[in-house]
Amino acid sequence: MSDGSADQPKPAYNRVLLKISGEALMGDQGYGLHPPTVERIAREVKAVRDLGVEICMVIGGGNIFRGLQGSAQGMERTTADYMGMLATVMNALAMQSALEEMGVFCRVVSAIRMDEVAEPYIRRRAVRHLEKKRVIIFAAGTGNPYFTTDTAATLRANEMACEAIFKGTKVDGVYDKDPVKHDDAVRYDEISYDDCLVKNLKVMDASAIALARDNDLPIIVFSLDEPGGFRGILAGQGTYTIVHG
C-alpha cells in the first residue's frame, strides 16, 4: 500500500535560503512580533522541510529596530547597525520557538557571539546541521555594520552552497513599479541581475544582487502572504519572479 510519498513532487531545489524581512513578522501590527503570523510562516517553512529540502533562513530586524532609520535620526551609524543586528537575533529566536513547537529541529546561528542564546557561526558546523535536516536561522547579519541582511543572506547562501535564495515579500514577484500604487505595474516572470541593478528595482540591495550575480545564485521573489506559496514554487507551481544571469 502506498504511503503517498510516490505522489509527492520532487522539489526543484535541494538546499535553499529563505530571506524575509522583520516586517513580515508584524502581521497587521505596526511594530514588534505577531505570534500568529510567526506561526503561519513557520508552518510554511515546515511544509518545505517536509519535502526533504534543506532550509536556512535570514530574517531582518526592521520590525524592532532599523539601523538606517536610527542613523538618519542622528544616531551614530555603527551603533545603530549593531542594534539592528540584535533585533534580528530576537526575531530568529521567535521563529526557532515556533518551529520547535511544530517538531522541527532548528538552530539559531549568530554572527555575533552570544553563547547563552545562539551558536556562533562556524561554516562547517552549519553545513552539518543542514545535512541533518535541521533548519538554520542565521542571525546578526554578517556581524559587521554597513551590511544589510540582504547581503548577509546572499553571503550565507553562497557559503552554504544553496541552490537559490527565496525572497518572501508582500507581492508575487518583481514589478517594473510598485503594484500597490500603480494599477498598470507589470510583473516580470524572469529578469537579469543587471536589469535589476540598472532599473533600480529594489529586489535586494545592490551589494546583494552583485554578490548573487558573481556566484550565479538565482533569486526567487514570491509572496509570503500566499498560503502554501513557498512549498508550491518548490513543487513547480505558483507565481514568482526569478532573477538570474
Side-chain angles (χ1 to χ4, degrees):
M1 183 176 179
S2 172
D3 61 359
S5 59
D7 301 325
Q8 186 168 281
K10 179 175 172 56
Y13 301 99
N14 297 310
R15 180 180 292 177
V16 301
L17 185 141
L18 174 64
K19 166 62 172 68
I20 61 176
S21 67
E23 287 88 345
L25 306 184
M26 294 190 310
D28 294 330
Q29 302 174 153
Y31 178 83
L33 289 156
H34 183 238
T37 300
V38 176
E39 182 182 328
R40 178 181 63 78
I41 295 172
R43 280 198 301 271
E44 299 280 328
V45 173
K46 180 181 186 299
V48 170
R49 199 288 308 260
D50 289 347
L51 284 176
V53 178
E54 298 171 2
I55 307 174
C56 41
M57 299 179 67
V58 170
I59 307 172
N63 56 320
I64 298 170
F65 187 86
R66 185 178 290 280
L68 276 173
Q69 288 179 355
S71 177
Q73 293 173 13
M75 185 177 292
E76 194 268 326
R77 173 67 188 269
T78 302
T79 300
D81 279 356
Y82 278 121
M83 291 174 69
M85 291 180 218
L86 296 177
T88 72
V89 177
M90 296 172 69
N91 285 337
L93 292 172
M95 183 59 64
Q96 179 187 43
S97 177
L99 285 165
E100 289 182 340
E101 283 288 320
M102 298 174 187
V104 177
F105 292 108
C106 182
R107 296 289 187 275
V108 172
V109 175
S110 173
I112 297 174
R113 289 194 73 105
M114 47 185 80
D115 295 347
E116 287 77 12
V117 297
E119 290 186 10
Y121 175 65
I122 300 170
R123 190 188 69 84
R124 291 176 65 91
R125 181 188 293 177
V127 169
R128 187 68 180 131
H129 286 322
L130 287 176
E131 291 171 349
K132 291 182 176 180
K133 307 302 181 186
R134 296 167 181 157
V135 173
I136 300 179
I137 307 173
F138 292 114
T142 65
N144 302 287
Y146 295 94
F147 289 91
T148 67
T149 50
D150 280 346
T151 303
T154 311
L155 174 65
R156 295 294 185 240
N158 280 306
E159 289 179 300
M160 295 296 106
C162 290
E163 296 165 4
I165 296 177
F166 279 70
K167 175 76 182 283
T169 69
K170 291 189 175 297
V171 293
D172 59 355
V174 179
Y175 287 77
D176 62 346
K177 49 192 164 187
D178 189 343
V180 176
K181 298 177 181 176
H182 303 277
D183 292 337
D184 60 343
V186 176
R187 187 181 65 79
Y188 300 99
D189 286 329
E190 55 183 323
I191 190 169
S192 71
Y193 304 111
D194 288 338
D195 280 348
C196 280
L197 291 170
V198 169
K199 296 177 181 179
N200 196 27
L201 294 177
K202 307 293 187 185
V203 175
M204 297 175 108
D205 68 66
S207 298
I209 292 174
L211 184 58
R213 178 192 62 194
D214 292 348
N215 292 277
D216 199 22
L217 180 68
I219 303 167
I220 294 167
V221 183
F222 72 106
S223 172
L224 201 62
D225 292 338
E226 181 68 30
F230 186 21
R231 185 184 189 281
I233 293 168
L234 279 154
Q237 304 161 351
T239 304
Y240 58 90
T241 299
I242 182 166
V243 183
H244 57 173

